[in-house]
Amino acid sequence: LLFLLSFLTIISASYPSFAQFSQEKKVSIRLLPDKTELKGGDSFTVGIEQTITDHWHTYWLNPGDSGTAARIKWSGVDGIEAAPIQWPIPKKLPLGPLTNFGYEEKVVLLQELTLPKNLPEGPQTITANIDILVCHEICIPESHTASFTINDGREPSSSAVTGARNALPVDMGWATAMSEDKDDLVITINTDTPSAFAKLDSIEL
């Protein structure tokens, strides 16, 4: 029993505490639609902007050794369909022996929504319910509700969405393979255009 208690003490000192609650939220959320005048069946893109308190971070689709990616549920218009979230390139977030991946300061996730063909006439409010984990020395689960209205004469946020698209990873279409050579991990990249590597400053894993 003493050994087990000592082991748990070491573990708790090495890893961040989870499920800690605070009244003060560390992330603020804005929704940025690239179109606001829409009809039934139209598709459009919404930027989900996170403004994160200094020294805190949120997580990428693959959070790494710990953490949880944001989850978003849409409501307000019956039959609205949401494509998978598009995630900007994350930062490495080292934490002791762990490596996590996520975002600091500000990030804009993108998600494409498709309206039902029988969209009612007039202004419609669309709401996102967002669950997010934000961490520094502890981790705090936060729940956010944010909304925007379409077909009410407001200007879209097309420039913000365009800027967020520029932060997305680019699929180069290169065939890759991984193998082990003793204690080394070997990544092999096959491409018909070797000159493309000249544009790379570095490859980071």
Side-chain angles (χ1 to χ4, degrees):
L1 179 59
L2 289 174
F3 173 79
L4 178 60
L5 289 174
S6 299
F7 177 75
L8 292 175
T9 300
I10 293 171
I11 290 296
S12 64
S14 302
Y15 291 83
S17 301
F18 284 81
Q20 300 290 322
F21 291 90
S22 169
Q23 292 182 350
E24 180 185 353
K25 292 190 174 180
K26 306 301 181 183
V27 180
S28 61
I29 302 286
R30 279 200 310 163
L31 300 182
L32 308 169
D34 70 340
K35 299 176 185 176
T36 51
E37 295 300 318
L38 297 154
K39 61 182 185 301
D42 283 351
S43 295
F44 63 108
T45 300
V46 179
I48 301 98
E49 180 189 77
Q50 303 174 21
T51 301
I52 307 162
T53 298
D54 289 347
H55 310 300
W56 292 74
H57 61 265
T58 61
Y59 289 96
W60 186 42
L61 170 64
N62 173 7
D65 292 320
S66 65
T68 303
R71 296 185 298 272
I72 306 172
K73 291 184 179 179
W74 296 93
S75 61
V77 174
D78 290 338
I80 195 168
E81 296 180 359
I85 297 172
Q86 300 173 55
W87 302 84
I89 297 171
K91 295 178 63 175
K92 270 189 177 180
L93 302 168
L95 177 65
L98 308 180
T99 298
N100 297 326
F101 302 96
Y103 309 105
E104 297 175 321
E105 297 180 355
K106 184 172 288 188
V107 65
V108 180
L109 312 182
L110 296 178
Q111 194 162 22
E112 183 177 280
L113 304 182
T114 300
L115 297 170
K117 292 184 177 179
N118 59 343
L119 180 73
E121 294 184 2
Q124 303 293 324
T125 298
I126 298 173
T127 299
N129 294 295
I130 303 166
D131 292 324
I132 199 166
L133 187 68
V134 56
C135 298
H136 176 37
E137 294 177 349
I138 61 172
C139 288
I140 301 173
E142 293 186 356
S143 293
H144 293 260
T145 300
S147 301
F148 65 93
T149 303
I150 60 173
N151 298 332
D152 67 345
R154 295 188 186 184
E155 292 294 321
S157 304
S158 52
S159 59
V161 171
T162 299
R165 284 198 179 104
N166 293 333
L168 297 176
V170 177
D171 185 356
M172 302 301 293
W174 296 342
T176 60
M178 290 191 297
S179 60
E180 292 186 29
D181 182 5
K182 297 181 181 178
D183 294 331
D184 295 327
L185 175 66
V186 179
I187 298 178
T188 304
I189 301 174
N190 296 307
T191 174
D192 295 331
T193 55
S195 60
F197 282 96
K199 299 180 181 179
L200 298 178
D201 294 327
S202 65
I203 297 177
E204 185 173 336
L205 300 177

